Amino acid sequence: MAIPESKSELIEAINKNYASLVKKLAAVPAQRVFQPIMEGHVKGTTMSVAQLVSYLIGWGELVLSWHVKEANGNEIVFPEVGFKWNEMGKLAQKFYRDYQDITDYKLLLQRLENNKNEIIKLIEGFNDDDLYGAGWCEKYTRGRMIQLNTSSPYKNATGRLATLIKTIDS
């Protein structure tokens, strides 16, 4: 799918990539979801499927928090206070910690779905010009920033899971 350039394309990309992700998440055996059996977000590390889900929730929550800060007239620090764009591995580790106390995998998946639905609601409150008419974070438009932190990671995670499932099945 091409990079979304409109509100409807952005919503379609998020929903499509999320649907593919959910299918792959469902294919992972329940007894394996908390085992560190996948390549981590930091080179040379491993993570669990639950941590991958935590990572996706973390980015979604960050997208929502940027918009809450903006709506309240507060400065948005991208990507997050205390992190730089070249420290994504450290931010991934933070996301793993943020949700490590959720030990019920179904609850973690529900949190991911709720997060995705909140992002769709957020997008529905904007028009195409709000999303794609001007830069919002450096050179990126608001719509592109949302896509880079939802739809794209969903797609990447789906690929990671497909690779994992092949190794589990073999």
Side-chain angles (χ1 to χ4, degrees):
M1 178 177 238
I3 295 172
E5 295 181 1
S6 69
K7 175 178 165 175
S8 62
E9 289 176 3
L10 178 58
I11 291 171
E12 179 185 355
I14 290 170
N15 284 329
K16 178 183 174 201
N17 290 345
Y18 180 80
S20 297
L21 172 65
V22 168
K23 287 178 186 170
K24 293 297 181 198
L25 288 167
V28 178
Q31 68 273 19
R32 304 294 303 267
V33 297
F34 287 100
Q35 296 174 353
I37 55 176
M38 302 178 68
E39 182 180 334
H41 288 101
V42 176
K43 188 174 181 164
T45 66
T46 58
M47 69 176 165
S48 68
V49 173
Q51 287 174 315
L52 177 62
V53 173
S54 296
Y55 175 82
L56 297 172
I57 295 168
W59 274 110
E61 291 296 327
L62 203 51
V63 167
L64 294 170
S65 76
W66 294 334
H67 287 86
V68 168
K69 287 175 185 170
E70 180 182 49
N72 292 333
N74 297 321
E75 177 187 5
I76 303 169
V77 176
F78 292 104
E80 171 66 301
V81 174
F83 295 90
K84 294 180 174 67
W85 287 114
N86 64 351
E87 298 176 317
M88 293 299 95
K90 283 175 52 180
L91 189 53
Q93 299 290 324
K94 176 194 178 298
F95 294 151
Y96 302 162
R97 288 189 306 276
D98 287 348
Y99 304 99
Q100 70 186 1
D101 293 337
I102 303 175
T103 57
D104 180 333
Y105 186 59
K106 289 180 183 175
L107 190 60
L108 196 62
L109 293 177
Q110 185 60 55
R111 181 102 182 236
L112 179 62
E113 182 178 353
N114 293 345
N115 178 262
K116 189 267 306 180
N117 291 338
E118 288 298 314
I119 290 167
I120 296 296
K121 276 192 235 175
L122 173 75
I123 296 165
E124 288 172 343
F126 293 111
N127 63 36
D128 283 344
D129 194 53
D130 294 333
L131 291 166
Y132 293 99
W136 187 64
C137 171
E138 299 173 13
K139 65 181 179 178
Y140 296 110
T141 64
R142 179 187 311 271
R144 182 75 165 127
M145 283 298 291
I146 294 170
Q147 181 257 325
L148 285 169
N149 296 293
T150 57
S151 170
S152 289
Y154 295 166
K155 186 174 183 174
N156 179 279
T158 301
R160 285 173 173 258
L161 290 165
T163 300
L164 174 67
I165 291 163
K166 284 179 191 171
T167 64
I168 290 173
D169 290 343
S170 60

mmCIF file of all heavy atoms in Angstrom, residues 2 14 17 19 24 31-32 36-37 56 60 67 70-71 75 82 84-85 98 100-101 116 122 145 148 162 168-169:
data_model
loop_
_atom_site.group_PDB
_atom_site.id
_atom_site.type_symbol
_atom_site.label_atom_id
_atom_site.label_comp_id
_atom_site.label_asym_id
_atom_site.label_seq_id
_atom_site.Cartn_x
_atom_site.Cartn_y
_atom_site.Cartn_z
ATOM 1 N N ALA A 2 0.524 2.229 -0.797
ATOM 2 C CA ALA A 2 1.276 3.474 -0.884
ATOM 3 C C ALA A 2 1.149 4.265 0.425
ATOM 4 O O ALA A 2 0.254 4.006 1.241
ATOM 5 C CB ALA A 2 0.745 4.309 -2.044
ATOM 6 N N ILE A 14 -4.279 2.013 8.493
ATOM 7 C CA ILE A 14 -4.216 1.574 9.886
ATOM 8 C C ILE A 14 -5.086 0.334 10.082
ATOM 9 O O ILE A 14 -4.633 -0.663 10.648
ATOM 10 C CB ILE A 14 -4.637 2.712 10.839
ATOM 11 C CG1 ILE A 14 -3.569 3.811 10.843
ATOM 12 C CG2 ILE A 14 -4.878 2.179 12.256
ATOM 13 C CD1 ILE A 14 -3.981 5.087 11.569
ATOM 14 N N ASN A 17 -3.559 -2.805 8.140
ATOM 15 C CA ASN A 17 -2.350 -3.349 8.767
ATOM 16 C C ASN A 17 -2.647 -3.918 10.148
ATOM 17 O O ASN A 17 -2.048 -4.917 10.550
ATOM 18 C CB ASN A 17 -1.244 -2.295 8.816
ATOM 19 C CG ASN A 17 -0.689 -1.993 7.435
ATOM 20 O OD1 ASN A 17 -0.912 -2.737 6.481
ATOM 21 N ND2 ASN A 17 0.027 -0.894 7.314
ATOM 22 N N ALA A 19 -5.524 -5.337 11.021
ATOM 23 C CA ALA A 19 -6.213 -6.622 10.794
ATOM 24 C C ALA A 19 -5.204 -7.729 10.486
ATOM 25 O O ALA A 19 -5.320 -8.851 11.005
ATOM 26 C CB ALA A 19 -7.231 -6.481 9.666
ATOM 27 N N LYS A 24 -1.796 -12.528 12.739
ATOM 28 C CA LYS A 24 -0.498 -13.105 13.101
ATOM 29 C C LYS A 24 -0.372 -13.273 14.614
ATOM 30 O O LYS A 24 0.150 -14.286 15.093
ATOM 31 C CB LYS A 24 0.668 -12.258 12.569
ATOM 32 C CG LYS A 24 0.799 -12.252 11.067
ATOM 33 C CD LYS A 24 1.086 -13.623 10.508
ATOM 34 C CE LYS A 24 1.242 -13.574 9.009
ATOM 35 N NZ LYS A 24 1.107 -14.888 8.393
ATOM 36 N N GLN A 31 1.261 -20.262 24.963
ATOM 37 C CA GLN A 31 2.332 -20.562 25.912
ATOM 38 C C GLN A 31 3.666 -19.925 25.515
ATOM 39 O O GLN A 31 4.610 -19.939 26.296
ATOM 40 C CB GLN A 31 2.497 -22.082 26.104
ATOM 41 C CG GLN A 31 3.014 -22.831 24.895
ATOM 42 C CD GLN A 31 1.938 -23.282 23.916
ATOM 43 O OE1 GLN A 31 0.826 -22.764 23.913
ATOM 44 N NE2 GLN A 31 2.282 -24.237 23.069
ATOM 45 N N ARG A 32 3.731 -19.341 24.331
ATOM 46 C CA ARG A 32 4.990 -18.746 23.853
ATOM 47 C C ARG A 32 5.015 -17.215 23.915
ATOM 48 O O ARG A 32 6.072 -16.614 23.727
ATOM 49 C CB ARG A 32 5.251 -19.155 22.389
ATOM 50 C CG ARG A 32 5.286 -20.645 22.087
ATOM 51 C CD ARG A 32 6.440 -21.419 22.707
ATOM 52 N NE ARG A 32 7.773 -20.978 22.385
ATOM 53 C CZ ARG A 32 8.521 -21.456 21.396
ATOM 54 N NH1 ARG A 32 8.072 -22.399 20.603
ATOM 55 N NH2 ARG A 32 9.744 -21.002 21.217
ATOM 56 N N PRO A 36 11.011 -14.725 25.483
ATOM 57 C CA PRO A 36 11.836 -13.863 24.620
ATOM 58 C C PRO A 36 12.386 -14.651 23.421
ATOM 59 O O PRO A 36 13.525 -15.109 23.429
ATOM 60 C CB PRO A 36 12.937 -13.381 25.555
ATOM 61 C CG PRO A 36 13.051 -14.468 26.576
ATOM 62 C CD PRO A 36 11.679 -15.056 26.734
ATOM 63 N N ILE A 37 11.549 -14.801 22.401
ATOM 64 C CA ILE A 37 11.892 -15.662 21.263
ATOM 65 C C ILE A 37 12.003 -14.909 19.936
ATOM 66 O O ILE A 37 12.162 -15.516 18.893
ATOM 67 C CB ILE A 37 10.863 -16.808 21.117
ATOM 68 C CG1 ILE A 37 9.442 -16.265 21.003
ATOM 69 C CG2 ILE A 37 10.993 -17.787 22.278
ATOM 70 C CD1 ILE A 37 8.357 -17.302 20.763
ATOM 71 N N LEU A 56 3.994 -1.586 20.419
ATOM 72 C CA LEU A 56 2.964 -0.991 19.561
ATOM 73 C C LEU A 56 2.010 -0.113 20.373
ATOM 74 O O LEU A 56 1.629 0.981 19.930
ATOM 75 C CB LEU A 56 2.194 -2.086 18.832
ATOM 76 C CG LEU A 56 3.026 -2.941 17.876
ATOM 77 C CD1 LEU A 56 2.208 -4.119 17.361
ATOM 78 C CD2 LEU A 56 3.582 -2.113 16.722
ATOM 79 N N GLY A 60 1.427 4.009 20.052
ATOM 80 C CA GLY A 60 0.065 4.542 19.916
ATOM 81 C C GLY A 60 -0.273 5.521 21.016
ATOM 82 O O GLY A 60 -0.856 6.586 20.775
ATOM 83 N N HIS A 67 -1.122 14.701 20.948
ATOM 84 C CA HIS A 67 -2.321 15.470 20.619
ATOM 85 C C HIS A 67 -2.996 16.051 21.855
ATOM 86 O O HIS A 67 -3.542 17.154 21.798
ATOM 87 C CB HIS A 67 -3.273 14.614 19.776
ATOM 88 C CG HIS A 67 -2.759 14.432 18.387
ATOM 89 N ND1 HIS A 67 -1.870 13.429 18.058
ATOM 90 C CD2 HIS A 67 -2.964 15.152 17.266
ATOM 91 C CE1 HIS A 67 -1.559 13.546 16.779
ATOM 92 N NE2 HIS A 67 -2.203 14.581 16.274
ATOM 93 N N GLU A 70 -0.866 19.070 22.666
ATOM 94 C CA GLU A 70 -1.175 20.138 21.725
ATOM 95 C C GLU A 70 -2.513 20.791 22.072
ATOM 96 O O GLU A 70 -2.623 22.017 22.102
ATOM 97 C CB GLU A 70 -1.211 19.584 20.300
ATOM 98 C CG GLU A 70 -1.519 20.637 19.251
ATOM 99 C CD GLU A 70 -1.605 20.041 17.859
ATOM 100 O OE1 GLU A 70 -2.310 19.020 17.677
ATOM 101 O OE2 GLU A 70 -0.972 20.603 16.949
ATOM 102 N N ALA A 71 -3.524 19.984 22.342
ATOM 103 C CA ALA A 71 -4.859 20.506 22.658
ATOM 104 C C ALA A 71 -4.853 21.346 23.934
ATOM 105 O O ALA A 71 -5.634 22.299 24.062
ATOM 106 C CB ALA A 71 -5.854 19.353 22.787
ATOM 107 N N GLU A 75 3.844 22.329 25.028
ATOM 108 C CA GLU A 75 4.859 21.986 24.036
ATOM 109 C C GLU A 75 4.925 20.465 23.867
ATOM 110 O O GLU A 75 4.861 19.717 24.837
ATOM 111 C CB GLU A 75 6.224 22.502 24.486
ATOM 112 C CG GLU A 75 7.347 22.118 23.549
ATOM 113 C CD GLU A 75 8.732 22.474 24.085
ATOM 114 O OE1 GLU A 75 8.833 22.936 25.238
ATOM 115 O OE2 GLU A 75 9.696 22.247 23.347
ATOM 116 N N GLY A 82 12.982 13.176 27.267
ATOM 117 C CA GLY A 82 14.095 12.331 27.687
ATOM 118 C C GLY A 82 14.639 11.402 26.615
ATOM 119 O O GLY A 82 15.583 10.659 26.867
ATOM 120 N N LYS A 84 15.703 10.966 22.271
ATOM 121 C CA LYS A 84 15.957 11.577 20.961
ATOM 122 C C LYS A 84 15.591 10.556 19.887
ATOM 123 O O LYS A 84 15.469 9.367 20.164
ATOM 124 C CB LYS A 84 17.431 11.969 20.852
ATOM 125 C CG LYS A 84 17.837 13.072 21.809
ATOM 126 C CD LYS A 84 19.311 13.408 21.632
ATOM 127 C CE LYS A 84 19.747 14.593 22.447
ATOM 128 N NZ LYS A 84 19.726 14.424 23.861
ATOM 129 N N TRP A 85 15.433 11.036 18.660
ATOM 130 C CA TRP A 85 15.057 10.137 17.569
ATOM 131 C C TRP A 85 16.088 9.034 17.346
ATOM 132 O O TRP A 85 15.760 7.971 16.843
ATOM 133 C CB TRP A 85 14.830 10.914 16.270
ATOM 134 C CG TRP A 85 13.552 11.697 16.279
ATOM 135 C CD1 TRP A 85 13.423 13.058 16.254
ATOM 136 C CD2 TRP A 85 12.213 11.170 16.310
ATOM 137 N NE1 TRP A 85 12.090 13.395 16.274
ATOM 138 C CE2 TRP A 85 11.326 12.264 16.303
ATOM 139 C CE3 TRP A 85 11.677 9.886 16.355
ATOM 140 C CZ2 TRP A 85 9.938 12.118 16.331
ATOM 141 C CZ3 TRP A 85 10.299 9.734 16.378
ATOM 142 C CH2 TRP A 85 9.453 10.844 16.365
ATOM 143 N N ASP A 98 6.734 -0.215 30.535
ATOM 144 C CA ASP A 98 5.445 0.435 30.803
ATOM 145 C C ASP A 98 4.303 -0.567 30.925
ATOM 146 O O ASP A 98 3.344 -0.309 31.653
ATOM 147 C CB ASP A 98 5.100 1.433 29.693
ATOM 148 C CG ASP A 98 5.928 2.701 29.732
ATOM 149 O OD1 ASP A 98 6.625 2.949 30.750
ATOM 150 O OD2 ASP A 98 5.889 3.451 28.737
ATOM 151 N N GLN A 100 4.798 -4.113 31.327
ATOM 152 C CA GLN A 100 5.258 -5.414 31.817
ATOM 153 C C GLN A 100 4.369 -5.989 32.913
ATOM 154 O O GLN A 100 4.362 -7.201 33.139
ATOM 155 C CB GLN A 100 6.703 -5.335 32.289
ATOM 156 C CG GLN A 100 6.912 -4.553 33.564
ATOM 157 C CD GLN A 100 8.379 -4.391 33.902
ATOM 158 O OE1 GLN A 100 9.263 -4.847 33.183
ATOM 159 N NE2 GLN A 100 8.648 -3.720 35.012
ATOM 160 N N ASP A 101 3.608 -5.151 33.592
ATOM 161 C CA ASP A 101 2.732 -5.649 34.655
ATOM 162 C C ASP A 101 1.435 -6.251 34.120
ATOM 163 O O ASP A 101 0.674 -6.844 34.887
ATOM 164 C CB ASP A 101 2.420 -4.537 35.656
ATOM 165 C CG ASP A 101 3.656 -4.109 36.442
ATOM 166 O OD1 ASP A 101 4.608 -4.910 36.538
ATOM 167 O OD2 ASP A 101 3.660 -2.972 36.948
ATOM 168 N N LYS A 116 -5.757 1.466 19.161
ATOM 169 C CA LYS A 116 -5.990 1.666 17.721
ATOM 170 C C LYS A 116 -7.312 2.401 17.492
ATOM 171 O O LYS A 116 -7.385 3.338 16.698
ATOM 172 C CB LYS A 116 -5.979 0.318 17.003
ATOM 173 C CG LYS A 116 -5.984 0.387 15.488
ATOM 174 C CD LYS A 116 -7.306 0.336 14.799
ATOM 175 C CE LYS A 116 -8.191 -0.835 15.137
ATOM 176 N NZ LYS A 116 -9.469 -0.751 14.368
ATOM 177 N N LEU A 122 -9.291 9.898 16.889
ATOM 178 C CA LEU A 122 -8.482 11.108 16.788
ATOM 179 C C LEU A 122 -8.423 11.583 15.334
ATOM 180 O O LEU A 122 -8.677 12.751 15.040
ATOM 181 C CB LEU A 122 -7.065 10.835 17.303
ATOM 182 C CG LEU A 122 -6.047 11.955 17.103
ATOM 183 C CD1 LEU A 122 -6.280 13.081 18.094
ATOM 184 C CD2 LEU A 122 -4.625 11.418 17.223
ATOM 185 N N MET A 145 3.088 11.525 10.567
ATOM 186 C CA MET A 145 3.568 11.135 11.898
ATOM 187 C C MET A 145 2.677 10.064 12.513
ATOM 188 O O MET A 145 3.178 9.126 13.131
ATOM 189 C CB MET A 145 3.644 12.360 12.818
ATOM 190 C CG MET A 145 4.848 13.242 12.547
ATOM 191 S SD MET A 145 6.433 12.425 12.821
ATOM 192 C CE MET A 145 6.410 12.233 14.600
ATOM 193 N N LEU A 148 3.486 6.835 10.595
ATOM 194 C CA LEU A 148 4.809 6.299 10.935
ATOM 195 C C LEU A 148 4.832 5.605 12.292
ATOM 196 O O LEU A 148 5.718 4.786 12.555
ATOM 197 C CB LEU A 148 5.856 7.425 10.936
ATOM 198 C CG LEU A 148 6.299 7.927 9.568
ATOM 199 C CD1 LEU A 148 7.126 9.201 9.714
ATOM 200 C CD2 LEU A 148 7.086 6.854 8.826
ATOM 201 N N ALA A 162 5.399 -13.140 11.249
ATOM 202 C CA ALA A 162 5.377 -14.162 10.194
ATOM 203 C C ALA A 162 6.660 -14.980 10.236
ATOM 204 O O ALA A 162 6.634 -16.214 10.132
ATOM 205 C CB ALA A 162 5.185 -13.510 8.827
ATOM 206 N N ILE A 168 8.483 -21.392 14.616
ATOM 207 C CA ILE A 168 7.719 -22.181 15.590
ATOM 208 C C ILE A 168 7.122 -23.421 14.921
ATOM 209 O O ILE A 168 7.138 -24.503 15.484
ATOM 210 C CB ILE A 168 6.603 -21.324 16.241
ATOM 211 C CG1 ILE A 168 7.198 -20.264 17.165
ATOM 212 C CG2 ILE A 168 5.632 -22.210 17.025
ATOM 213 C CD1 ILE A 168 6.193 -19.269 17.714
ATOM 214 N N ASP A 169 6.608 -23.218 13.705
ATOM 215 C CA ASP A 169 5.957 -24.310 12.983
ATOM 216 C C ASP A 169 6.925 -25.344 12.427
ATOM 217 O O ASP A 169 6.525 -26.460 12.129
ATOM 218 C CB ASP A 169 5.105 -23.745 11.827
ATOM 219 C CG ASP A 169 3.871 -23.011 12.335
ATOM 220 O OD1 ASP A 169 3.503 -23.198 13.516
ATOM 221 O OD2 ASP A 169 3.275 -22.252 11.551
#
